[in-house]
Amino acid sequence: MRTGISSACFYPMITEQAVERLVRMGCSCIEIFLNSFSEIRPEFIAPIRDLLADAGIEVTSIHPFTSGSEGMLFFSDYDRRFRDGVELYKRYLEIALELGGRYVVFHGAHKMAGLDREFYASRFHILHEEARKAGGMILHENVERSVSRDPELFRYLKKQIPDAGFVLDVKQAIRAEVSPLEMLEAMSGNLCHVHISDNAPGHPCLAIGEGTMDLPVFLRALKDRDYNGALILELYSSNYREEGELTKSLEILNGLLAQI
């Protein structure tokens, strides 16, 4: 396992400045959150690609700002919009691959959508296959406001799409009142990526070491399930005070990983 930071930690700082800050911090592994349509243009991506290549920084994944629109894009009966959505997410995959990564994070439909799971899985399967053909993966994340707040969705998707890939987001599990360990069990065997943070009662998202989560138990559970992907620190900017808390979080995580 390796540790890194998401550019989302600096939102609403513009994306290229957030990436530059991560470079200055000496991160070896990052996730990039793209925040507007202008940021998927080749002329925007090229200088970021060159900056990261010069710094030797690994990009694990791309997180698109259209996550909140995935219910409308992919799970309605309007087929043209679905096909356009597929093309948009293929562009995100191209960006991930150009930057040296292979994952695009996916939130899915809203929890109140009332969708049939067979239909839901069939649409996600199309996205999954398009990504596979391109050499990348669309990873479904657990999100409190999404149908993916429920671990049962991931158990179902594993049965329908055995090689599907998932993202476990610790804070989103806590917000949904689901144990991260239960979510890990549901995703086990298909987990490719982790968004990590600490938490405490009434505070679902904190810097590592600022909460009460039993992180050694969680990290051992990952190791026991042969997880060897990234642990990407993803905090809301309101959940920490200064940049040093981000680097300290990685130091704590790396120390815990060394112990296990």
Side-chain angles (χ1 to χ4, degrees):
M1 285 181 271
R2 58 208 186 280
T3 61
I5 300 177
S6 170
S7 68
C9 293
F10 298 117
Y11 183 85
M13 181 184 293
I14 61 173
T15 299
E16 62 269 35
Q17 290 182 0
V19 172
E20 289 167 1
R21 179 169 289 191
L22 291 172
V23 171
R24 290 197 303 272
M25 290 168 63
C27 292
S28 60
C29 173
I30 67 171
E31 176 174 284
I32 297 179
F33 202 118
L34 296 175
N35 288 296
S36 72
F37 285 112
S38 64
E39 295 178 6
I40 69 174
R41 296 178 304 182
E43 59 267 32
F44 179 85
I45 296 300
I48 290 179
R49 178 199 63 214
D50 295 343
L51 173 67
L52 296 174
D54 289 345
I57 293 176
E58 174 193 2
V59 175
T60 60
S61 45
I62 293 297
H63 198 312
F65 74 101
T66 47
S67 296
S69 302
E70 287 166 355
M72 179 182 67
L73 283 171
F74 299 110
F75 302 105
S76 78
D77 292 326
Y78 200 77
D79 189 66
R80 178 184 292 164
R81 189 165 60 220
F82 170 68
R83 297 295 167 184
D84 287 348
V86 171
E87 292 304 310
L88 174 61
Y89 276 61
K90 285 167 67 175
R91 173 58 187 149
Y92 291 137
L93 280 162
E94 289 175 357
I95 293 169
L97 293 165
E98 181 178 352
L99 296 177
R102 60 188 299 258
Y103 300 146
V104 171
V105 178
F106 185 84
H107 285 188
H110 193 274
K111 61 188 176 184
M112 302 301 290
L115 295 169
D116 174 77
R117 277 190 175 167
E118 184 176 353
F119 170 73
Y120 192 93
S122 69
R123 285 296 178 88
F124 185 69
H125 192 199
I126 293 171
L127 270 172
H128 169 75
E129 284 299 308
E130 289 293 336
R132 186 185 60 79
K133 287 188 288 187
M137 293 185 76
I138 303 284
L139 302 184
H140 207 315
E141 182 176 30
N142 63 295
V143 178
E144 188 279 332
R145 63 168 176 74
S146 167
V147 293
S148 60
R149 72 194 312 274
D150 185 354
E152 283 303 317
L153 177 71
F154 296 99
R155 296 187 179 102
Y156 181 78
L157 288 176
K158 284 199 299 186
K159 292 178 182 177
Q160 302 301 311
I161 314 168
D163 60 342
F166 304 142
V167 183
L168 196 164
D169 189 304
V170 170
K171 65 181 175 300
Q172 293 290 342
I174 296 297
R175 290 178 66 189
E177 299 183 346
V178 174
S179 163
L181 292 174
E182 180 184 357
M183 191 61 75
L184 172 58
E185 189 59 41
M187 295 180 173
S188 186
N190 297 69
L191 181 64
C192 298
H193 196 54
V194 173
H195 287 154
I196 197 160
S197 53
D198 207 338
N199 57 81
H203 301 279
C205 181
L206 295 170
I208 303 298
E210 296 294 318
T212 58
M213 181 177 173
D214 195 336
L215 285 161
V217 167
F218 179 70
L219 296 176
R220 288 192 191 98
L222 288 171
K223 183 178 180 183
D224 288 346
R225 288 159 180 78
D226 297 321
Y227 178 71
N228 61 1
L231 301 171
I232 296 293
L233 182 70
E234 187 185 68
L235 305 179
Y236 305 120
S237 57
S238 60
N239 294 131
Y240 68 97
R241 297 172 295 278
E242 57 186 13
E243 185 181 294
E245 292 180 56
L246 303 180
T247 52
K248 182 181 177 182
S249 291
L250 293 197
E251 289 171 4
I252 295 171
L253 278 175
N254 287 329
L256 292 172
L257 289 172
Q259 292 175 22
I260 65 168

